[in-house]
Amino acid sequence: RGWSRYVFDKADFAEGMQVLDAGAGYGNLWRYNLGRLPENMKVTCIDKHNTHADGFMEYIRDKEEHREVSKEKFAFLWDDLEEMSISGGYDRIFFNHVALFIQDRKRLYRKFSAALLPEGVLICTWGGYLLYENIMLLLKEFLKDMTAVEAKCNQIKCHQIMREEELKEVFPVVEKHTYVITLHFEKPEEFMDYILQVCEPAERELEQRRNEFLEFLQEKKSVSGEYEFVRDTALFCCRKA
């Protein structure tokens, strides 16, 4: 919820804007800000069928039936972002945690640029690297061989740098913002499951030493009695001039 409101605030909306949500998915950006939408703003959501976007459309249709949102506020297009053509005239385009799934990002960024009005803004987001730095600091105390973990984390960092450079190759102005949160886990098993989820190279050894690792995590419990991880997310405001 906090992240969705942060992204919404960075958009600096005004009445009558035309907005494109490219890869709308579950629609958290709009679900958590539905009561904050300016008058006469139109939001067009693009995604593929048989995704979370289907559920988001049902959510909006229900809100329309109960007159909690006007029927002119949201429109849905079902297509592949990389294959479809995108008409112009948008004040804001959101590309929220979708870049990882795109094969030719620069080509898509050029398509977004052409679809933006002269003063329009592309808002692009993806996860930062702070999480992986903290994972490596933790695992270096436990694992004897960090080769695979470090190689994977360095690969992730390189990909993040590359994605940022791709944005800068298409947009003359790219402003980077960072959103930092602390994740809290009550039980060591929950903490371990999260680490396994985001750090696949360590999965095999940690599973083999599961009980030992859980004891290790219990020693790392914070003063509050919880298990904590700090992570960041990058938000880029991209302008044509």
Side-chain angles (χ1 to χ4, degrees):
R1 184 182 299 272
W3 165 250
S4 296
R5 294 181 72 86
Y6 175 82
V7 176
F8 188 95
D9 291 340
K10 287 298 180 185
D12 193 22
F13 287 125
E15 291 187 9
M17 280 188 170
Q18 295 290 319
V19 179
L20 177 67
D21 191 346
Y26 192 71
N28 281 341
L29 177 61
W30 312 112
R31 288 175 186 259
Y32 294 138
N33 293 287
L34 201 59
R36 308 173 69 202
L37 303 183
E39 290 293 327
N40 302 318
M41 190 176 86
K42 176 69 176 293
V43 181
T44 300
C45 299
I46 299 177
D47 215 318
K48 297 178 180 179
H49 270 308
N50 301 315
T51 66
H52 290 301
D54 293 275
F56 177 51
M57 185 181 69
E58 292 176 6
Y59 170 85
I60 291 297
R61 296 296 179 247
D62 180 70
K63 293 294 182 182
E64 290 173 347
E65 287 184 16
H66 289 85
R67 298 184 180 180
E68 296 178 43
V69 63
S70 65
K71 291 188 176 181
E72 296 77 25
K73 188 72 74 177
F74 286 89
F76 290 84
L77 296 177
W78 305 99
D79 211 330
D80 187 319
L81 282 170
E82 295 196 81
E83 300 299 329
M84 67 183 293
S85 59
I86 301 176
S87 60
Y90 290 104
D91 297 281
R92 299 289 184 270
I93 296 178
F94 289 93
F95 194 52
N96 194 7
H97 281 65
V98 185
L100 286 172
F101 306 104
I102 303 300
Q103 295 296 318
D104 190 344
R105 285 181 292 272
K106 283 197 293 184
R107 178 171 174 266
L108 184 56
Y109 294 154
R110 286 192 287 268
K111 196 185 300 187
F112 288 156
S113 179
L116 281 170
L117 291 170
E119 301 299 320
V121 181
L122 167 69
I123 297 176
C124 183
T125 73
W126 54 70
Y129 190 66
L130 183 58
L131 171 67
Y132 300 99
E133 289 182 340
N134 289 328
I135 286 177
M136 284 196 291
L137 284 174
L138 179 69
L139 294 184
K140 278 180 179 178
E141 295 184 48
F142 182 78
L143 297 179
K144 294 180 180 179
D145 185 1
M146 284 285 293
T147 305
V149 174
E150 289 179 333
K152 180 63 176 179
C153 290
N154 288 334
Q155 183 186 50
I156 291 170
K157 187 174 185 178
C158 288
H159 286 169
Q160 291 178 348
I161 294 172
M162 179 180 66
R163 289 196 296 271
E164 186 171 345
E165 290 303 314
E166 289 169 344
L167 279 175
K168 293 177 180 178
E169 288 181 33
V170 176
F171 290 90
V173 180
V174 177
E175 300 171 2
K176 183 177 182 179
H177 306 268
T178 303
Y179 181 81
V180 179
I181 62 171
T182 301
L183 305 177
H184 300 273
F185 305 86
E186 292 185 0
K187 300 178 181 179
E189 290 83 2
E190 295 173 345
F191 193 24
M192 179 176 179
D193 288 343
Y194 180 78
I195 294 170
L196 295 177
Q197 177 186 340
V198 298
C199 193
E200 185 180 346
E203 181 176 3
R204 182 175 179 180
E205 184 172 354
L206 293 182
E207 285 287 13
Q208 290 175 344
R209 303 170 61 188
R210 185 175 184 86
N211 292 335
E212 184 183 352
F213 187 55
L214 289 174
E215 291 178 4
F216 169 79
L217 291 180
Q218 288 178 326
E219 295 176 1
K220 297 297 177 184
K221 187 183 298 185
S222 68
V223 177
S224 66
E226 295 182 321
Y227 303 88
E228 299 179 348
F229 247 161
V230 177
R231 67 171 301 165
D232 62 342
T233 305
L235 181 149
F236 302 89
C237 293
C238 310
R239 295 176 171 83
K240 299 165 69 170

